């Protein structure tokens, strides 16, 4: 489990006025569960994830990584290296790659038979699978997903939704998804935080529960659509100026 | 594959068309003119020109220097790539000031080198290699900003050191860019080599051109121009094949 406690960040690059970007953000993630936060585009979601991953430093606050394992960040744009094949991509960054484990992970994300293929000229869905497999190969405690579905087509998106749910359920990894799309966050998550900007801060949190397994048909259910509208109205109420930067 | 064949076919078509126009125009329509020799006369004199100008040796010298200069300069960059890339990112500002040297005419540098050093094949090769090496560094410097941020972020997140990021990410990303640049640089290198040999007047195709100009041998000049065109095309083709086969991962 990883706990994010009161993270704040101020923009130190602005010489005239320091603009607070993130304010007192506390999030909880749980083993085998997906936590999401919904915030408008260009609001500092990536920055928050980079702080959690240890790539950027916060102005204040702390990240409590109870398991002590790695926190892995998957960027929004394709980050699988085009000069490496699938197997090499998945084992990238490992000092002593375990061949059997890597093959298991490749099979788990649905890339069996593609080990020697390179990701250039492949779909976003294919490249996301590689990034996910590479993250799992690091045996992490938390995987951070930075709005990864925005560039995928609808068919790939639905396949990847199912895959991420399956992986989170079967592994003991926590997932934290940053999204500006209510539907995808709601479908994937066990817990959702809503955020507003200037500065980026949480104004609402809610546990998400649906009866039974989450299948694509859930997206068309009455309860799901109602919940989407409920979240949309909440954002409309709290952060109306940025509503156009949220999709449903 | 089909695209490659098409490109190759188009190049052959172009060469054949030029030859056809030349033969028809200067053999049958304008056999007597002040511009180009009659194709039949040129054809008859080919063997004499080859012998008189030691053409095989001249071609071998120039072609070898071009190819070896590319290979040695690339190996030089390859061996030191992680260090060079780190150095380039660290001293970006001071490297930018070196851009002022673009105003210096390369021909002046050639003349200076010829004044400073003896006329040997070694210095010609050294000069060609240095030319490719420096321009390779400049290209890397210009393009290092284009390395996708997400690749570097992933590298940092997975715990790679700065040196590993330079080696495994920056350098890998830039390799196809560099080889692609060699396709263009090839023409400049041939020009520089010819100028060097022309001024030096001892080795290579440039030397043959010099001799032909002194003798006012129009047939030889035309033949050398055609050979030069083919050589440049062959070198470009070799670089293209290498890029397609070994450096084909550009996004």
């Amino acid at each position: 489990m990883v706990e994010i406690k009161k993270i704040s960040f101020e923009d130190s690059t602005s010489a005239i006025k320091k603009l607070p970007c993130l304010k007192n953000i506390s999030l909880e993630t749980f083993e085998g569960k997906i936590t999401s936060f919904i915030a408008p585009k260009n609001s500092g979601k990536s920055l928050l994830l980079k702080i959690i991953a240890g790539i950027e430093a916060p102005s204040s606050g702390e990240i409590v990584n109870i398991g002590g394992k790695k926190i892995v960040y998957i960027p929004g744009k394709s980050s699988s290296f085009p000069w490496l094949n699938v197997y090499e991509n998945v084992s990238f960054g490992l000092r002593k790659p375990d061949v059997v484990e890597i093959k298991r992970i490749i099979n788990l994300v649905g890339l069996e038979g593609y080990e020697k293929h390179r990701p250039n000229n492949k779909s976003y869905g294919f490249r996301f699978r590689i990034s996910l497999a590479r993250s799992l190969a690091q045996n992490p405690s938390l995987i951070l997903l930075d709005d990864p579905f925005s560039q995928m087509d609808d068919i790939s998106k639905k396949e990847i939704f199912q895959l991420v749910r399956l992986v989170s359920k079967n592994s003991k990894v926590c997932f934290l998804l940053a999204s500006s799309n209510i539907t995808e966050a709601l479908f994937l998550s066990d817990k959702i935080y809503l955020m507003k900007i200037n500065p980026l801060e949480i104004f609402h949190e809610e546990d998400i529960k649906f009866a039974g397994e989450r299948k694509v048909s859930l997206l068309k259910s009455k309860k799901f659509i109602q919940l989407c509208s409920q979240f949309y109205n909440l954002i409309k109420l709290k952060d109306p100026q940025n509503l156009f930067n949220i999709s449903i | 594959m089909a695209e490659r064949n098409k490109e190759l076919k188009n190049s052959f078509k172009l060469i054949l068309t030029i030859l056809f126009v030349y033969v028809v125009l200067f053999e049958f329509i304008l056999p007597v003119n002040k511009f180009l020799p009659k194709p039949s006369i040129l054809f008859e004199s080919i063997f004499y020109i080859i012998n008189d100008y030691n053409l095989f040796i001249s071609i071998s010298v120039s072609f070898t220097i071009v190819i070896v200069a590319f290979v040695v300069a690339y190996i030089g960059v390859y061996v030191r790539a992680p260090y060079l890339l780190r150095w380039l990112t660290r001293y970006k500002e001071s490297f930018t000031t070196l851009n002022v040297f673009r105003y210096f005419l390369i021909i002046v540098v050639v003349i200076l080198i010829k004044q400073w050093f003896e006329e040997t094949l070694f210095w010609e090769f050294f000069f060609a290699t240095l030319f490719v090496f420096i321009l390779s560094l400049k290209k890397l410097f210009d393009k290092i900003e284009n390395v996708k941020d997400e690749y570097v972020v992933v590298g940092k997140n997975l715990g790679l050191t700065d040196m590993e990021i330079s080696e495994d990410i920056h350098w890998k990303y830039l390799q196809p860019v560099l080889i692609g640049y060699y396709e263009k640089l090839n023409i400049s290198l041939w020009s520089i080599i010819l100028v060097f040999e022309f001024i030096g007047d001892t080795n290579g195709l440039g030397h043959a051109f010099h001799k032909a100009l002194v003798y006012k041998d129009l047939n030889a000049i035309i033949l050398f121009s055609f050979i030069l065109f083919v050589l440049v095309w062959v070198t470009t083709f070799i670089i293209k094949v290498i890029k397609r086969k070994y450096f084909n991962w550009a996004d």
Side-chain angles (χ1 to χ4, degrees):
Chain A
M1 195 175 110
V2 177
E3 257 186 274
I4 293 104
K5 287 184 178 174
K6 291 189 174 180
I7 294 289
S8 293
F9 180 85
E10 286 185 7
D11 181 13
S12 58
T13 54
S14 171
I16 305 162
K17 197 183 170 189
K18 284 191 174 184
L19 300 167
C21 289
L22 314 178
K23 191 182 167 189
N24 280 338
I25 296 174
S26 298
L27 304 164
E28 274 183 312
T29 60
F30 304 95
E31 270 183 15
K33 305 268 181 201
I34 302 174
T35 305
S36 295
F37 63 89
I38 301 173
K41 284 170 191 158
N42 305 318
S43 58
K45 295 192 295 291
S46 302
L47 175 68
L48 175 59
L49 293 185
K50 283 177 187 171
I51 288 173
I52 297 168
I55 300 163
E56 301 281 348
S59 306
S60 63
E62 61 172 331
I63 317 292
V64 182
N65 187 355
I66 293 164
K69 292 181 191 168
K70 270 188 181 174
I71 296 175
V72 184
Y73 171 69
I74 301 182
K77 290 179 186 165
S78 302
S79 60
S80 50
F81 303 114
W83 51 87
L84 302 176
N85 64 32
V86 169
Y87 181 88
E88 290 162 341
N89 258 295
V90 176
S91 56
F92 185 83
L94 294 172
R95 303 290 167 199
K96 284 179 185 170
D98 178 349
V99 180
V100 178
E101 179 62 6
I102 288 168
K103 282 192 175 166
R104 187 192 68 81
I105 291 169
I106 287 173
N107 294 351
L108 178 71
V109 299
L111 291 175
E112 192 178 5
Y114 290 96
E115 289 86 348
K116 300 276 177 201
H117 287 234
R118 287 222 298 248
N120 49 335
N121 306 322
K122 293 280 196 297
S123 68
Y124 284 107
F126 187 91
R127 296 189 74 165
F128 177 78
R129 283 171 198 264
I130 298 174
S131 300
L132 183 61
R134 183 174 58 205
S135 306
L136 290 169
Q138 300 287 327
N139 190 22
S141 54
L142 173 64
I143 295 178
L144 306 166
L145 305 174
D146 189 358
D147 217 348
F149 311 112
S150 53
Q151 290 173 313
M152 288 179 204
D153 60 273
D154 275 355
I155 298 167
S156 303
K157 224 184 240 188
K158 283 169 188 168
E159 283 174 10
I160 298 294
F161 284 175
Q162 301 277 24
L163 175 69
V164 174
R165 286 289 307 172
L166 179 82
V167 169
S168 76
K169 208 174 162 186
N170 293 346
S171 60
K172 288 183 177 175
V173 183
C174 316
F175 276 87
L176 179 61
L177 167 72
S179 178
S180 51
N181 183 292
I182 298 172
T183 308
E184 66 189 33
L186 199 55
F187 180 81
L188 285 167
S189 312
D190 300 290
K191 182 164 189 159
I192 285 186
Y193 294 88
L194 296 183
M195 293 191 189
K196 65 184 188 69
I197 63 168
N198 294 329
L200 189 69
E201 61 181 333
I202 297 166
F203 68 83
H204 181 78
E205 61 178 90
E206 193 164 326
D207 290 323
I208 308 295
K209 278 174 188 152
F210 292 106
E213 214 174 294
R214 291 188 198 181
K215 290 182 179 163
V216 180
S217 56
L218 176 72
L219 293 166
K220 287 178 183 167
S221 72
K222 202 177 168 187
K223 192 187 172 191
F224 187 86
I225 293 166
Q226 269 177 354
L227 209 51
C228 273
S229 312
Q230 190 188 316
F231 277 127
Y232 185 79
N233 290 331
L234 263 169
I235 296 166
K236 197 175 173 183
L237 194 72
K238 290 279 181 182
D239 198 13
Q241 304 98 305
N242 286 301
L243 200 62
F244 66 94
N245 274 328
I246 295 278
S247 53
I248 193 161
Chain B
M1 191 71 177
E3 215 169 272
R4 274 180 239 170
N5 287 340
K6 199 179 166 189
E7 203 183 316
L8 202 64
K9 267 184 195 170
N10 285 343
S11 302
F12 275 119
K13 269 184 197 169
L14 180 72
I15 293 171
L16 287 176
T17 312
I18 292 169
L19 276 175
F20 179 75
V21 170
Y22 170 61
V23 169
V24 170
L25 197 63
F26 294 97
E27 187 69 39
F28 304 110
I29 303 172
L30 295 166
V32 182
N33 68 83
K34 284 182 182 176
F35 307 105
L36 290 172
K38 225 174 137 183
S40 54
I41 295 174
L42 181 63
F43 186 74
E44 281 167 18
S45 54
I46 280 177
F47 298 102
Y48 299 106
I49 293 171
I50 288 171
N51 282 332
D52 292 349
Y53 290 90
N54 253 340
L55 205 56
F56 283 125
I57 292 172
S58 300
I59 290 171
S60 310
V61 167
S62 304
F63 190 70
T64 309
I65 283 176
V66 168
I67 296 293
V68 176
F70 270 125
V71 173
V72 173
Y74 182 80
I75 291 172
V77 176
Y78 180 86
V79 170
R80 306 305 292 170
Y83 301 95
L84 288 170
L85 290 169
R86 278 192 73 193
W87 178 74
L88 287 177
T89 36
R90 194 174 295 171
Y91 299 105
K92 220 177 270 180
E93 303 298 318
S94 42
F95 205 79
T96 313
T97 57
L98 291 179
N99 268 340
V100 74
F101 286 106
R102 71 181 183 274
Y103 298 113
F104 282 79
L105 282 175
I106 198 82
I107 195 160
V108 176
V109 182
V110 172
I111 292 167
L112 284 176
I113 286 182
K114 298 218 58 59
Q115 291 298 321
W116 293 336
F117 307 109
E118 282 175 44
E119 172 49 43
T120 60
L121 276 178
F122 171 78
W123 286 113
E124 187 178 340
F125 163 71
F126 176 81
F127 173 71
T129 309
L130 196 68
F131 178 77
V132 178
F133 184 77
I134 289 173
L135 288 180
S136 300
L137 283 191
K138 191 180 177 312
K139 193 69 187 172
L140 291 178
F141 168 72
D142 289 342
K143 296 290 173 187
I144 200 163
E145 298 281 318
N146 293 5
V147 177
K148 286 188 179 176
D149 194 36
E150 46 273 20
Y151 294 154
V152 180
V153 165
V154 165
K156 279 184 189 168
N157 182 229
L158 296 181
L160 267 66
T161 61
D162 283 354
M163 191 60 86
E164 285 169 332
I165 289 174
S166 289
E167 195 174 350
D168 296 340
I169 297 173
H170 283 123
W171 174 233
K172 286 286 180 186
Y173 185 90
L174 291 169
Q175 276 179 43
V177 177
L178 191 61
I179 301 294
Y181 174 59
Y182 283 177
E183 276 178 50
K184 291 175 192 161
L185 190 62
N186 173 41
I187 297 167
S188 312
L189 183 62
W190 269 104
S191 317
I192 295 296
I193 291 290
L194 283 182
V195 169
F196 198 100
E197 290 170 347
F198 190 89
I199 297 169
D201 198 22
T202 45
N203 307 305
L205 203 56
H207 163 61
F209 262 112
H210 195 152
K211 247 166 94 177
L213 267 178
V214 172
Y215 299 153
K216 291 182 180 166
D217 187 348
L218 191 60
N219 286 353
I221 292 171
I222 298 296
L223 183 67
F224 298 161
S225 305
F226 179 72
I227 289 169
L228 181 65
F229 173 77
V230 173
L231 286 175
V232 173
W233 182 80
V234 167
T235 338
T236 311
F237 183 74
I238 291 171
I239 297 170
K240 270 187 182 168
V241 169
I242 291 172
K243 191 185 169 201
R244 277 178 197 146
K245 211 167 167 58
Y246 302 106
F247 303 94
N248 52 2
W249 55 75
D251 265 332

